[in-house]
Amino acid sequence: MRETLFGSKKSGEVEKQEERSQQKSGVLAKQAEQRKGPEKRQSRSGRTYEVAKIVHPTETKDYVRSNTWAGLETVGTEEWVRAKLDRGEKYNGFTPTKRATLTNAEWMKLLHHVAVEVLILHQVGRDLKQVCYPRVDGAKTWRQTKAFDITSENGAPHVTSSAPQAPSMILQAVLEKPGSEQDQSSLAREVKEVIAMNMVVNSEASWMRTTLRDANIRFAITKRLVQLTGKRIPDVTISNATTLEDLFNAFKTKEQPKKLSQTEQLRGLAARVPNVKVSSKRHTPIDKEKQVGRWKLIEQELMARNLPVTGSRLPQAKARIDN
């Protein structure tokens, strides 16, 4: 019991030996650090950094205790967090910061342009993801893509052009390696030039009905359109799309839903059926009285008798919900 409470001579000697060994290892570590310099380590991201030196106030002779907060490093303030987060990195997003607003004819031009580029890469066996890589020195491939015809051969899409040099010019313009990221200005400029080109588009064109059985081709076309315009479509729509027309219907500008009274069929109903009137809202008994000119008299009489004109003025006429 005494040895448990106060310790024995053997345990004291063991503690002294451990303390001496720790001091000896500390001295050896300091000597090794002085010979080799500060310890260097490598983070997960591959960045090399130096391990901060541990300063013991009781062992370091040059250590001076600070009496005020002036000059000490502050941790946890808003400025400190902002400085840690902002290290000067420049981030370029995959899509434009502002989504492009296009008409249906402009969507058709852009779809034809992107589909031709993807199918040319597919025909020569190149990776389809290269369609999203930057162009060589701002090459304007739309000058060649507008002359291509998209057809189907044995159930697979195929592109042909009357100009024999057009496919090679497009392949040379598309980089085979990612290189630097495309800036937003080049993407916006390409969209602006494509939609401004002189090209006759028609929703009933034969190339719109070209089948897209290969999922990689569908995804590459969609990915490039998203990169150029910033408009995204659901993954289910991409999976269910079987033709270029299906992708066009997913990207095109949807018309605002109209009220039933604003449809062309009901607007022309008055000319065909004179005794039928179309109203934009529900026709109430008050509207009927207004048509024959009795509503003003009815309203005056109700107010003279202190009766409600519409609804009820009685406090218990409507049920209340107490929260």
Side-chain angles (χ1 to χ4, degrees):
M1 181 67 69
R2 182 178 57 195
E3 291 179 356
T4 303
L5 295 176
F6 304 103
S8 61
K9 295 182 179 179
K10 293 182 179 180
S11 61
E13 293 177 356
V14 171
E15 290 179 357
K16 291 181 180 179
Q17 290 179 358
E18 290 180 355
E19 186 176 355
R20 292 194 200 98
S21 63
Q22 290 179 358
Q23 291 178 356
K24 186 176 181 181
S25 60
V27 172
L28 294 175
K30 288 181 180 179
Q31 294 176 355
E33 184 178 351
Q34 292 176 357
R35 290 194 302 268
K36 299 181 181 179
E39 182 183 359
K40 294 184 178 181
R41 296 181 183 178
Q42 193 172 9
S43 62
R44 295 181 179 178
S45 60
R47 184 170 58 89
T48 304
Y49 63 95
E50 295 181 357
V51 179
K53 185 179 180 180
I54 300 176
V55 179
H56 295 279
T58 58
E59 299 177 3
T60 306
K61 297 180 180 180
D62 300 335
Y63 179 80
V64 179
R65 178 177 294 182
S66 176
N67 296 324
T68 62
W69 290 102
L72 297 179
E73 182 183 2
T74 57
V75 178
T77 60
E78 294 183 3
E79 292 78 7
W80 180 83
V81 174
R82 199 176 295 112
K84 290 292 182 181
L85 294 178
D86 187 10
R87 298 180 182 272
E89 299 92 345
K90 293 183 179 180
Y91 171 74
N92 292 326
F94 180 76
T95 59
T97 54
K98 185 178 180 181
R99 188 164 63 177
T101 304
L102 308 178
T103 62
N104 292 340
E106 293 171 347
W107 274 114
M108 204 172 300
K109 291 180 182 180
L110 192 61
L111 175 62
H112 181 272
H113 166 71
V114 173
V116 169
E117 287 187 336
V118 172
L119 293 177
I120 289 176
L121 293 175
H122 178 69
Q123 288 179 183
V124 298
R126 285 175 56 174
D127 193 352
L128 297 183
K129 67 181 180 181
Q130 296 176 2
V131 73
C132 296
Y133 292 170
R135 302 299 183 258
V136 176
D137 298 330
K140 300 178 180 181
T141 57
W142 59 268
R143 295 177 177 175
Q144 291 79 34
T145 57
K146 67 178 183 179
F148 277 82
D149 294 330
I150 304 176
T151 58
S152 295
E153 292 186 2
N154 300 325
H158 186 77
V159 289
T160 56
S161 176
S162 57
Q165 300 296 330
S168 61
M169 294 177 66
I170 295 175
L171 292 174
Q172 292 175 4
V174 180
L175 294 176
E176 297 187 18
K177 295 182 180 180
S180 59
E181 297 182 358
Q182 280 188 325
D183 55 344
Q184 302 293 334
S185 59
S186 62
L187 296 175
R189 183 170 59 253
E190 182 175 353
V191 174
K192 185 177 180 180
E193 292 174 349
V194 170
I195 63 179
M197 66 181 178
N198 186 14
M199 178 182 175
V200 180
V201 292
N202 186 8
S203 59
E204 301 297 331
S206 59
W207 65 269
M208 292 282 288
R209 295 187 291 274
T210 304
T211 56
L212 300 174
R213 297 179 181 177
D214 193 346
N216 295 325
I217 296 178
R218 292 198 306 267
F219 180 74
I221 295 174
T222 305
K223 185 178 180 180
R224 181 59 174 172
L225 289 173
V226 171
Q227 184 187 25
L228 291 173
T229 62
K231 183 175 182 179
R232 302 177 183 272
I233 60 175
D235 296 339
V236 179
T237 305
I238 304 174
S239 303
N240 296 334
T242 57
T243 62
L244 288 173
E245 186 177 6
D246 294 339
L247 291 180
F248 168 73
N249 293 332
F251 279 101
K252 72 177 184 180
T253 305
K254 308 296 188 300
E255 295 183 1
Q256 295 294 332
K258 298 179 180 179
K259 295 182 179 180
L260 184 62
S261 60
Q262 297 177 351
T263 58
E264 296 180 359
Q265 293 81 358
L266 290 183
R267 284 181 179 178
L269 188 64
R272 297 191 303 269
V273 187
N275 61 338
V276 175
K277 293 184 179 181
V278 179
S279 177
S280 59
K281 61 180 182 179
R282 185 172 64 89
H283 208 58
T284 63
I286 297 178
D287 297 327
K288 295 180 181 179
E289 299 295 340
K290 286 181 179 180
Q291 290 178 357
V292 296
R294 285 197 299 248
W295 176 246
K296 288 185 178 180
L297 297 175
I298 296 175
E299 186 178 10
Q300 291 176 0
E301 294 298 328
L302 290 174
M303 294 178 66
R305 291 170 173 78
N306 197 20
L307 294 175
V309 178
T310 56
S312 177
R313 293 181 183 175
L314 298 178
Q316 299 178 353
K318 296 181 179 180
R320 296 183 179 179
I321 301 176
D322 296 331
N323 294 330

